[in-house]
Each structure stands twice: as structure tokens, then as C-alpha cells.
Amino acid sequence: MVVERATVLGPTKPGRWAILILLALVLLVTPLGAVALAQEARTLSSVQEFAKLLDDPAVRSWLEQARSAQGATSSSQHIVDSIQMASRLSGIREHLAKVVGEIPEFPCELRRASGLLLQELRNRGLSAVVALIGGFAALGYGSEYLFWRVTKRSRLWIRHHPMSTVADRLRMIAMRLGFGLLIVVIFGLGSVGAFLLFEWPPLLRQVVIAYLAAAVLFRLTLVLGRVVLVPNGTIALDALARFQVVPLPAEHAHFWQRRLGLFIGYWAFGRATLDLLVAFGFSPDLQEAAAYILGMGLLGVALEAIWRRPHPKVAPPHPGWGTAGLSIFLTAYGVLLWLLWVTGLEHLFWLTVVAMLLPKAIAVGQMAVAHLLRPIGEKEVPSRGVLEVAIERGLRMALMLTAALFLADVWGIDLVAITARDTIMTRLARGVLTSIMVLLLADFLWHVSKAAVDAKLAEVSVVASPNTEDAIRQARLRTLLPIFRNILFVVIITLAGLTALSALGFEIGPLIAGAGVFGVAVGFGAQTLVKDVIGGIFYLLDDAFRIGEYIQSGPYKGTVESFSLRSVKLRHHRGPVYTVPFGQLGAVQNMSRDWVIDKFQINVTYDTNLERARKLIKTIGQELAEDSEFSQHVIEPLKMQGVEQFGDYAIEIRCKMTTRPGEQFVIRRRALARIKQAFDENGIRFATPTVLVSEREETGPAAARHVIERIRPGRRAIE
């Protein structure tokens, strides 16, 4: 019994050849696993009753009979499978023998078909047929030549138009593509006009229409090749690079443009020939024999491209297969495809084709997107933006979804309707294909969202002026966006996983209920973790601190470097990093908000002119406030508040200034240096403690009088 074949060169369902770009299913067509079902606990009495039942000889005899019957059924199933396999192989062998036996009849059929066509031409007249074909060619190529002449200036303008932006590049490539497609369309319309103006013989009309469609498809392939790979073979290499969609060296681009054109052209004209065999009444076996022969020619074109393809001048650091090994592998792969097609294994044939083409199609798409969206004139590869990620991931998702739909159509799987005739494998395949679509959509949403968040973080990484609205907004975004990104990842992966399990046929209701119970158990068993997470949420809602701010909480202090869901990392000013759970943070002292008041004391001698000291300090504060280095950080200039207290040996005066957070230390150091210099220039002395040491030992009243006499001059000096 032979399964009906879908030949590569023969009729196929609409749209299949436009979709052969993809693969994901080979990697993903595996079951996701099984979910274990919970069993209810048995009571002790039930277990005892079951044990007694097993001890019954009648029950044991019945179990042995059932086991033997099951083994016999399994053996019979293996026998049936072997018979079916042998029958299939025998049917394939008989079919191939029948096709080979029909090949000697091929010359006779060709003579018969040519006789029919010649008879029709004689009836119409040779001169009339020549006139029809001449008018057909004149209308087609004449319309194309006229359009080419009229648009000469526009084509020259496109070729030499400067490209300064990505938009210019995309616009010029789109215009070149539009001109190429218009040329083919005008050729086709002009040729079709010949059929509308004149009356054609039926068989000749079918022949001309079939090969006209093949010629149009061949020319469309050449146009796309010139736009995507080789813009124009006559212009310089720099212009070639300007218009390329896929960045390839000139030699590689010309080679693949010609080979792809040859491959598609051979297939198109071969397909037209097979359609004409049907029109001329060839037998089905002869049609298949011709298809197999033309398929071997198509395989030869592919193998020639594999073995003669240009290789990169610089060998990759990890060659892997090597050039010869890869060529041998691709040759074996091509031969395997031809054998699968000849033996009628349609499902496996298309799966193998998709598995081969999809990775390369995705890689070429990524190269094209990165090249087209790369800024003009930049040598270094810039970071990927949201638009590039969206287009690349969208193209990847579209390719894989198209592959899934294509294979579902080939395998006869309805992704929407569920019928009673569906087998377990059909339902499993439907679930796997639907799960692939869900996971691809989730992958697209995650990468686009992640790229948007990363782009915003890169935008706010340029720090604005401190304590401005922009700086506050940037710090807030740097704090919240990473957390939002992590939450979004968890939400997307959870929803995608549940939807994929539901598509595979699993009941997700019990899973959700079980997750709720598990969450309650975790909440009771990990109260500290829950406390940390909830505490972190409220810290963020209260805007207690942001990335880059210096905070202190109990023994922990430092600059906030990053967050997680349960902890914050603090970088101490001496280098160590603290990882503090939110539950242990407690009250937070933020030292980086708005402004800082800095106060310090200066000790001067008792004979100091305090008014003069006040004026000097005030002058120094005004000079610092006007200094370009400190002016933007000083809110209120340095000034002397007055006398703090009278000490044993000095007068303590207090100074005060208001600055931006974190800038008070540098300004204070500069202020103290200038105060020292100003006091020295104006005769103001800093007080220092004095210690008196006696020269000899005396006792009694004489020693006391001596000490008093030695201390009295120092007291007068202080007064």
C-alpha cells in the first residue's frame, strides 16, 4: 500500500513554498513531561483487607492469566507493526519498479505530445504562430524597455543619493526594490496583453502561460537577489555596501545571488514542464518519473553550490566541522531529502526541510536587521535599541510561527477544532504547536520589554545636576526600573507556562490551587522572607532611599548600589559592601536628600578680637560661595554664629554653612585652610592647652606659693 506523494516539483498546496524558512519544532516537538497525580492515603484496615485478598489462590490465578494475556497482546501488536512496515516497504518497492518500467515509454509520449502541438500549429499557420510569439515578446520586452528609459534619471538619483541616516538607507533600498518589482510587473502585464489582443491555439496558449509564469518567478528571484545581496554588479564596492540588505563580501554575494536564481529558475521551469505533462495527457507514472529526474537535477544544482561555495578568508577560531566535513554533511543531508521525497515520506520530508532552513533563515534575518538599523558611519557596533530588538524578535517569531502553521498544514492538524477522530499523537502535536506559539509570543514580549527598560536605564545613567527635578526623577527610575523588570519577567514566564500547560491538555486549575496552598505554607514557614519582601515594597513606596544615596541604619551605612526583592546592597565609604535584608533595616537615616547643615568649632585665645574674627570668617564664606568650584554646591555661605562657650584655655566659636549633601567635607577643608591663613595674617592666634612643669621639688606652704607665682603670669596672658 503506497501513500500518495506530494512532489517537490509537482502540485502542492498553496503557500507551502513561501514558508520553507523555519525550524523550531524539531527542538521543541517533545512532550513537556507528565504531572504526577496525588493518591489518597489508605487506612490501615483497607491495607490489611487488600493483603488478604492477594493471598487468595483464585485471585492469584486470575492475575497470572491476565499477565499472560497482556504479554500475548503486546506480542501480537509487535507482529502487526512489523507486518505494516514490511507491507509499506513492499509497496514502495513495487511503486518504484512500476515508475522505472514506464520510463521506456517516455520517448513515445513525447512524440505524441509534439505531434499534437505541431498539428495545432499547422492548422493555425506557421506565419500566424510566429507573429503571435513575436507580438508576445515585443509587448513584454518593449514595455519593459520603455519603462527603463523613462526612469533612467530616477535610478541615477537613487544610486548617487547620499545616505546620512538609517531612514535614508531604508528609503533608498525600498525605492530600488520598488523599481525592480515594477519592471517585472510591467513585463508581465505587457506579455499578458498579447493574450488579450490575439486569439491563441489552446495547447500553445497553455505552453506559453506556463513558461511565462516560470519566467516571471525567475525574474522576481533575480530582482530580490540584486536588492538583498548584490544591488548592482557594475557599481563600485562602496556603493554595493551602501545598498546591501545582508552584509556579505562581494564575491559571496554574487555567488549566492546566481545560485539562488538558478535554483528557483530550475524549479519554476521544471514545475511548468510537469504541469504541461498533465495537459498533454501523460500517465501518472510517467509524470512521477519526470518529477524524479528533474528532482535529481535540482539536487545537482544544490550540491554544486555546496561544494563550490566561497569560504571566508579568515578561518573561524573554532572551525568545528571544517570546510570539507560540512560539505560532506550537507551533501548527505541533500541526498536524504531526495530519498525521503522519492519514497513518499511527505511528513518527514517537510520536517527535515524546515529543520535545515530555519536556523539559517533566523541568522540571516538577524544579520539583515542589525545591518539595516546600524547608524551610518559608525565602526563600532552600538547597543541594540528597542526598535532593533522588536524587529529582530518579531521576525524570529514570525518565521517560527509560519513554520508551525506550515507543518500543521502538512501533517493535517487542525489547531482550532478538536474532533473525535483525533488520536493521542494528534492531540499531543496540536498541544506542542500551540505551546510553541505561546512561548514565542512570551519571548517576544519579554525581550522587547527588557530592551525598553534597559534603554531607559541607559538614558538616566547620565547624571543630571544634583538636587534638581531631573536628578530626582533619574534616581527614582534607576531604583524602580530593575525591580519592575524582574517582576515583569516573573509575570510573563508564569502566564506563558500556565498557558502552555493548558494547551498540552493539563488542568491548570489544580495547579493554581496547589500554588495557593503552597504559598500559604511558605508564608508560615518563611516569615522572615515574607517580612523582607513586604518591607522592601513599603520602603520603595515611601521613597525612603534611591540608587546612589548615602544612608545609615543602625550599624550599617553606605551608598545604595542595588536592590533585590528582599535586600539592599550598601557600599561603605571605605570599600566594604553590606547586604542588608529589608526586614533588618529598621529606621533609615538618609544623608543625601535636599541639603546639609555643617557646623564646626574653632578655639581662639582670650585676647582675640571676636568682631574681627567674625568679619574674616564671613568674607571667607562669601568668597567660597562665589568660587566657580563651589558655588553650585553652597546653599548658605559660611558664617560665624557666635561664642559657643568659654573654655579653660580658649574661647570656642561656632561656624555654620549649608551645602548640597556630600559636598560639605570638601568645602569645610577649603574653609579651614583659608581661616588659618586669614587669622595668621591678622594676628589672631589659635588657643592651645598649656602644661606647667616645676623645676624643683618643694613641700609645704613654700611649694604652694611657688606654684601660685608660676601660674599667675599664664592666667594674666589668658585674660
Side-chain angles (χ1 to χ4, degrees):
M1 179 178 181
V2 181
V3 181
E4 182 181 356
R5 290 177 252 320
T7 63
V8 176
L9 296 170
T12 57
K13 294 185 179 180
R16 286 187 185 171
W17 284 103
I19 326 178
L20 297 183
I21 336 166
L22 331 172
L23 153 215
L25 324 172
V26 183
L27 303 175
L28 299 174
V29 180
T30 52
L32 294 178
V35 178
L37 300 177
Q39 297 181 347
E40 296 182 357
R42 305 289 186 184
T43 60
L44 181 60
S45 59
S46 299
V47 173
Q48 293 174 350
E49 292 177 1
F50 182 69
K52 292 179 181 179
L53 185 62
L54 292 178
D55 291 336
D56 191 346
V59 174
R60 289 186 175 182
S61 176
W62 179 81
L63 290 176
E64 291 293 337
Q65 293 177 1
R67 188 178 298 110
S68 300
Q70 183 179 4
T73 303
S74 177
S75 301
S76 62
Q77 183 64 35
H78 288 307
I79 294 174
V80 171
D81 293 340
S82 300
I83 293 174
Q84 290 180 351
M85 179 63 67
S87 175
R88 182 175 181 85
L89 293 175
S90 176
I92 292 174
R93 184 169 54 253
E94 292 177 1
H95 172 74
L96 293 178
K98 186 178 180 181
V99 170
V100 172
E102 290 288 334
I103 292 179
E105 301 295 329
F106 198 75
C108 298
E109 291 292 327
L110 282 180
R111 285 193 296 269
R112 182 184 62 82
S114 61
L116 292 175
L117 185 59
L118 289 174
Q119 182 63 36
E120 188 177 73
L121 295 180
R122 292 192 194 100
N123 294 336
R124 184 62 182 267
L126 184 60
S127 59
V129 172
V130 171
L132 285 176
I133 296 177
F136 169 80
L139 285 175
Y141 287 103
S143 302
E144 178 182 348
Y145 177 76
L146 181 61
F147 177 78
W148 186 265
R149 295 285 295 178
V150 170
T151 59
K152 180 178 180 180
R153 291 186 178 181
S154 300
R155 289 183 287 105
L156 291 176
W157 178 82
I158 293 174
R159 180 181 300 179
H160 300 290
H161 185 75
M163 294 183 186
S164 57
T165 62
V166 175
D168 291 339
R169 174 193 289 159
L170 296 177
R171 184 164 53 253
M172 293 300 104
I173 292 176
M175 293 181 70
R176 285 182 56 84
L177 177 62
F179 269 107
L181 295 179
L182 277 176
I183 290 174
V184 179
V185 169
I186 288 174
F187 167 77
L189 292 177
S191 302
V192 170
F195 291 97
L196 300 178
L197 293 176
F198 308 107
E199 183 180 354
W200 290 71
L203 289 178
L204 181 61
R205 183 186 184 92
Q206 292 186 23
V207 171
V208 174
I209 289 179
Y211 286 115
L212 173 62
V216 170
L217 181 59
F218 174 64
R219 296 199 61 184
L220 283 176
T221 304
L222 294 181
V223 168
L224 293 177
R226 282 196 296 268
V227 172
V228 174
L229 297 175
V230 185
N232 194 327
T234 61
I235 60 178
L237 292 180
D238 57 343
L240 174 69
R242 290 172 68 237
F243 289 102
Q244 270 186 319
V245 175
V246 179
L248 289 177
E251 179 185 0
H252 295 214
H254 281 284
F255 176 85
W256 288 113
Q257 188 258 347
R258 293 166 183 166
R259 292 310 184 277
L260 290 176
L262 177 60
F263 188 89
I264 299 299
Y266 185 95
W267 175 85
F269 284 97
R271 173 69 181 273
T273 302
L274 293 178
D275 291 340
L276 291 176
L277 294 182
V278 178
F280 281 101
F282 281 63
S283 65
D285 293 332
L286 278 178
Q287 295 176 28
E288 291 196 10
Y292 294 157
I293 294 172
L294 292 174
M296 292 183 65
L298 199 65
L299 177 62
V301 173
L303 295 183
E304 187 272 342
I306 290 173
W307 286 96
R308 296 189 60 184
R309 71 187 188 278
H311 305 294
K313 296 181 180 180
V314 180
H318 303 287
W321 283 83
T323 303
L326 182 59
S327 299
I328 293 173
F329 171 76
L330 293 177
T331 300
Y333 205 94
V335 174
L336 174 64
L337 284 175
W338 188 83
L339 291 176
L340 291 176
W341 169 55
V342 169
T343 54
L345 301 176
E346 179 186 1
H347 297 174
L348 189 58
F349 168 78
W350 289 114
L351 180 62
T352 309
V353 170
V354 168
M356 177 181 65
L357 295 180
L358 181 61
K360 197 63 180 177
I362 293 177
V364 171
Q366 292 176 347
M367 290 172 56
V369 171
H371 176 70
L372 291 177
L373 299 182
R374 182 175 179 175
I376 304 294
E378 287 198 11
K379 297 181 180 179
E380 297 182 358
V381 179
S383 59
R384 302 198 309 170
V386 180
L387 179 62
E388 181 180 347
V389 172
I391 295 177
E392 178 188 327
R393 288 287 166 173
L395 179 62
R396 179 173 177 267
M397 181 181 66
L399 292 176
M400 290 186 174
L401 287 180
T402 307
L405 295 175
F406 172 71
L407 291 179
D409 179 60
V410 170
W411 295 341
I413 299 174
D414 192 347
L415 297 178
V416 179
I418 300 177
T419 62
R421 295 178 299 175
D422 291 343
T423 63
I424 295 179
M425 292 304 299
T426 302
R427 295 179 181 179
L428 181 61
R430 179 187 295 112
V432 169
L433 293 176
T434 307
S435 301
I436 289 173
M437 297 180 184
V438 172
L439 295 177
L440 287 175
L441 180 60
D443 175 79
F444 173 77
L445 293 176
W446 162 243
H447 281 89
V448 172
S449 304
K450 180 176 178 293
V453 172
D454 292 343
K456 195 64 179 178
L457 286 174
E459 179 183 338
V460 300
S461 62
V462 180
V463 182
S465 300
N467 295 311
T468 60
E469 291 295 332
D470 291 339
I472 295 174
R473 181 181 62 84
Q474 290 177 358
R476 187 73 169 161
L477 289 175
R478 287 196 300 270
T479 302
L480 296 179
L481 283 179
I483 298 177
F484 171 75
R485 179 177 56 195
N486 295 336
I487 294 175
L488 186 63
F489 173 76
V490 173
V491 171
I492 291 177
I493 199 66
T494 302
L495 294 179
L498 291 176
T499 308
L501 289 176
S502 177
L504 288 172
F506 296 105
E507 292 291 338
I508 62 174
L511 292 178
I512 297 176
V517 174
F518 180 75
V520 173
V522 170
F524 282 109
Q527 297 183 20
T528 303
L529 177 62
V530 175
K531 178 182 177 182
D532 294 337
V533 174
I534 295 178
I537 293 174
F538 282 100
Y539 276 121
L540 297 177
L541 291 178
D542 294 339
D543 194 19
F545 42 80
R546 307 170 187 144
I547 297 291
E549 293 184 339
Y550 194 93
I551 65 172
Q552 180 173 357
S553 176
Y556 310 110
K557 60 181 177 180
T559 303
V560 179
E561 284 197 341
S562 62
F563 289 94
S564 67
L565 290 177
R566 65 170 295 272
S567 64
V568 58
K569 290 186 182 297
L570 303 179
R571 172 74 66 176
H572 193 270
H573 56 271
R574 292 183 179 176
V577 177
Y578 297 110
T579 301
V580 187
F582 287 117
Q584 300 180 15
L585 207 55
V588 175
Q589 180 183 2
N590 194 324
M591 303 179 183
S592 300
R593 292 287 176 90
D594 302 331
W595 42 265
V596 170
I597 296 178
D598 188 46
K599 297 181 179 181
F600 56 90
Q601 287 79 30
I602 300 176
N603 296 330
V604 295
T605 59
Y606 274 91
D607 59 352
T608 300
N609 187 341
L610 296 179
E611 181 63 22
R612 186 170 185 80
R614 184 187 67 80
K615 292 181 179 180
L616 289 174
I617 294 174
K618 182 178 180 180
T619 302
I620 293 171
Q622 292 176 348
E623 291 176 354
L624 291 175
E626 295 173 357
D627 192 335
S628 59
E629 183 180 356
F630 306 109
S631 59
Q632 58 181 347
H633 304 306
V634 175
I635 299 177
E636 293 184 5
L638 177 67
K639 60 183 179 181
M640 190 183 85
Q641 288 186 295
V643 176
E644 179 68 17
Q645 66 177 352
F646 292 104
D648 293 336
Y649 60 89
I651 300 176
E652 292 185 8
I653 59 176
R654 171 173 288 186
C655 300
K656 169 189 172 183
M657 61 179 175
T658 304
T659 66
R660 303 292 183 190
E663 304 296 333
Q664 68 271 25
F665 307 107
V666 179
I667 299 176
R668 184 203 303 167
R669 295 189 191 100
R670 183 65 61 86
L672 291 176
R674 293 193 178 186
I675 289 174
K676 173 67 169 60
Q677 181 181 359
F679 279 15
D680 290 344
E681 293 175 354
N682 291 272
I684 299 177
R685 293 177 297 158
F686 294 94
T688 56
T690 303
V691 178
L692 298 179
V693 180
S694 177
E695 296 180 357
R696 58 178 178 171
E697 293 185 2
E698 295 181 356
T699 59
R705 284 195 303 271
H706 183 74
V707 170
I708 291 173
E709 290 176 356
R710 300 287 295 232
I711 292 176
R712 189 173 297 156
R715 181 176 296 176
R716 291 197 189 104
I718 293 174
E719 294 174 352

